[in-house]
Amino acid sequence: MRRRAESTSESRSARPASKFVPLSIYSHVSTYRSLQLELQLYSPSLKVQEDGHRGPLAVFSEHDQVGGKVILDQSCFHTGRLTVSIEGSFSYCPKEKEENGQECASSSEPRKHIFLSSSTVIPVSPNTEPSSPRSAFREAFIRRRPSASCINNAPSAADRSHPFTFHLPQSCRAGEELPPTFTTSKEMLGVKYKIIASWEPNDAFENNSHLEVPIVIQPDTDFQCADASTVSPDSWLEMPLKSDRPMPFRCAVTLPTSVTFTRSSSIPYFVVFTTIPRSASLAKEIAADATISVSLLRQINISEQIPLPPTPPHTPSSEESDTPRTKLLKRVRAQPRLVRPRRISETTSTELYEKPLPALPMQTVFSDTHSLQNNMCIGFPKRPRLQMCDTGNHPTLESHASLPDGLHKARIPLDKEMLPCIDWSGISVKYYLDISVLIGQDDLRARIPVRII
């Protein structure tokens, strides 16, 4: 079904007041039409799609309200049900294994995991639609049975306008924000949002109408503090590499303390080693023959709730299966016994009533770990050196003794097409740096989580 988008950037102050609050807040209007529906979205900004075949898209942040109104065409039946929904989904394509055991891209259609779904149902009838002052005067003073011609009279567009508003969910912890809109054509991965309007008339001879409109959710930079997000480039964190048995040397990797990187940047790192106790011959051998491998791994996990089994039917007890006469005899024969009620403290009773329900069990429906980048180097090409102090004095002997025996310095470039980190409602997208230093038969490893935004 074809649809057409129109947008305006005029101020809303000149428009009449409305009960829909975002009309006076957001200045951009995007209009989409089908044969029987017209959907208007009010947003703080617009974005033009790169393909250029469709109109602009409404852009919201996680702190905005997604709202607008749906206008039914005059040809629609006078009664029915209008449903407006917002949906957020994560698209992924499972990989298939070839005969040699290697994974390859699947030829099937991408799957979709819905992580955000909310809808509002608006019953439409002549009594529920907002009426104009003229029609209200007619209904108040003219009491007569409606004829066929009166029912078929199409109301005005203002009478068939139905506003709606959706509040986006907020996260309680940093790093678990609502995932932004993102699509990539390389791996068929992406996060998409859309508004869906569905019209179901009560007339069996009239077809249903359906309209889907994509929207964009992106982070709001106004809610991010620059002082908190900026980390000094001289702030580094050293993490040791572990081995299966005690070794006469130690290896470590050094990363920026924040461990948070943008997709348009790169990840700098240092890999160092030190012999214990210091041995010049061993250090020379390690510096020449060690194999250093650093990989950027992406791990995607999708979980869904396990459907609970149906509740079994109620089984009548032995008392319920007895006749009324038997119940009466049992009641007479039973000796009353005084039972002192057990006192429960107010704290205990409050905890019992306020105890949250246990979370429903989850099952993993998709899991994928993929290596995106891999840097490999033979040997440690450099040995760290201390620079001269600001006072002009040379470094002390203790400073030289604390230096590692070998140093490998490199960086992993990132890509704007990479999927950002996600931790939201059954979707988990995480990144790790997998560091390995192979010396002879011994392998020292470490896997460090990093955050890519």
Side-chain angles (χ1 to χ4, degrees):
M1 185 175 294
R2 298 179 60 186
R3 61 173 178 261
R4 183 163 58 94
E6 300 176 357
S7 64
T8 58
S9 301
E10 61 182 356
S11 175
R12 309 298 297 185
S13 58
R15 302 177 72 95
S18 172
K19 292 185 292 184
F20 181 57
V21 177
L23 282 174
S24 59
I25 298 178
Y26 303 142
S27 58
H28 297 277
V29 182
S30 303
T31 304
Y32 301 84
R33 294 186 177 93
S34 66
L35 293 179
Q36 293 182 321
L37 298 176
E38 179 179 319
L39 175 62
Q40 295 183 3
L41 289 177
Y42 302 89
S43 61
S45 60
L46 297 175
K47 179 181 180 181
V48 180
Q49 299 190 75
E50 296 179 358
D51 52 17
H53 296 292
R54 297 178 181 176
L57 299 180
V59 180
F60 303 89
S61 71
E62 62 272 19
H63 302 279
D64 295 329
Q65 295 182 5
V66 180
K69 61 182 178 180
V70 179
I71 302 175
L72 298 176
D73 190 76
Q74 296 182 4
S75 61
C76 295
F77 197 66
H78 62 280
T79 60
R81 184 175 67 174
L82 178 64
T83 304
V84 185
S85 307
I86 182 173
E87 180 183 291
S89 61
F90 178 77
S91 302
Y92 63 97
C93 189
K95 296 184 179 180
E96 298 178 352
K97 288 189 177 181
E98 298 179 346
E99 296 180 355
N100 55 6
Q102 295 182 356
E103 293 184 347
C104 63
S106 176
S107 58
S108 59
E109 293 294 329
R111 298 182 183 178
K112 184 173 69 172
H113 172 76
I114 299 177
F115 60 87
L116 174 63
S117 179
S118 179
S119 61
T120 176
V121 179
I122 306 172
V124 178
S125 65
N127 296 331
T128 57
E129 291 182 350
S131 57
S132 61
R134 183 177 180 182
S135 61
F137 177 85
R138 182 175 63 252
E139 292 176 0
F141 291 94
I142 301 177
R143 302 293 184 181
R144 66 178 181 179
R145 180 178 300 177
S147 61
S149 60
C150 180
I151 294 178
N152 292 331
N153 288 336
S156 62
D159 296 342
R160 313 214 75 180
S161 176
H162 303 276
F164 64 91
T165 306
F166 292 104
H167 298 270
L168 296 176
Q170 303 294 321
S171 175
C172 300
R173 293 183 295 179
E176 298 181 2
E177 295 81 7
L178 189 69
T181 300
F182 179 83
T183 56
T184 172
S185 58
K186 296 181 180 179
E187 302 177 286
M188 291 185 291
L189 296 172
V191 178
K192 298 180 180 180
Y193 296 89
K194 61 182 178 180
I195 301 294
I196 307 170
S198 301
W199 165 246
E200 301 177 9
N202 291 338
D203 187 5
F205 298 97
E206 183 178 335
N207 296 328
N208 298 346
S209 185
H210 187 81
L211 179 61
E212 294 187 3
V213 175
I215 61 175
V216 177
I217 305 294
Q218 65 182 14
D220 192 350
T221 56
D222 294 339
F223 285 84
Q224 299 177 1
C225 179
D227 296 336
S229 59
T230 304
V231 180
S232 173
D234 297 332
S235 179
W236 296 84
L237 179 65
E238 185 177 281
M239 289 155 283
L241 276 63
K242 298 181 180 180
S243 61
D244 296 334
R245 64 187 184 93
M247 305 295 298
F249 54 86
R250 292 183 300 183
C251 293
V253 59
T254 304
L255 290 170
T257 305
S258 63
V259 202
T260 301
F261 311 93
T262 61
R263 288 171 288 172
S264 58
S265 64
S266 59
I267 303 178
Y269 64 89
F270 299 87
V271 180
V272 297
F273 83 94
T274 302
T275 55
I276 304 173
R278 289 299 180 95
S279 173
S281 58
L282 180 60
K284 185 177 180 180
E285 180 182 354
I286 294 175
D289 299 334
T291 301
I292 307 170
S293 177
V294 179
S295 301
L296 178 62
L297 304 180
R298 184 192 62 200
Q299 185 181 73
I300 302 177
N301 289 321
I302 300 178
S303 302
E304 295 180 355
Q305 293 181 355
I306 300 177
L308 298 178
T311 305
H314 176 67
T315 304
S317 61
S318 59
E319 295 183 357
E320 295 178 356
S321 60
D322 294 339
T323 61
R325 183 177 181 182
T326 308
K327 291 183 178 180
L328 179 60
L329 293 175
K330 288 184 177 181
R331 201 179 299 119
V332 172
R333 293 175 183 175
Q335 296 295 332
R337 184 177 60 177
L338 296 177
V339 180
R340 177 176 297 177
R342 186 172 53 183
R343 180 176 298 177
I344 303 177
S345 62
E346 294 182 359
T347 305
T348 306
S349 61
T350 304
E351 293 177 355
L352 291 176
Y353 283 106
E354 295 182 357
K355 185 177 181 181
L357 295 176
L360 294 177
M362 305 286 288
Q363 62 178 355
T364 302
V365 297
F366 176 76
S367 181
D368 176 65
T369 302
H370 183 60
S371 177
L372 303 179
Q373 297 279 351
N374 186 19
N375 290 349
M376 184 173 291
C377 176
I378 303 299
F380 288 84
K382 296 182 179 181
R383 191 182 189 283
R385 295 181 179 180
L386 288 176
Q387 298 180 356
M388 185 175 297
C389 302
D390 297 337
T391 57
N393 300 327
H394 292 280
T396 61
L397 296 178
E398 290 79 4
S399 301
H400 279 287
S402 62
L403 288 176
D405 293 324
L407 168 68
H408 170 63
K409 176 183 179 181
R411 61 178 60 239
I412 294 181
L414 303 179
D415 188 3
K416 293 182 179 179
E417 294 292 323
M418 294 176 59
L419 191 67
C421 288
I422 300 175
D423 189 2
W424 184 273
S425 184
I427 306 176
S428 174
V429 178
K430 299 180 180 179
Y431 288 89
Y432 299 90
L433 274 186
D434 195 13
I435 302 98
S436 172
V437 177
L438 182 62
I439 302 175
Q441 300 296 326
D442 297 300
D443 190 11
L444 293 85
R445 307 187 68 91
R447 177 169 290 186
I448 302 170
V450 295
R451 187 166 180 256
I452 297 178
I453 58 177

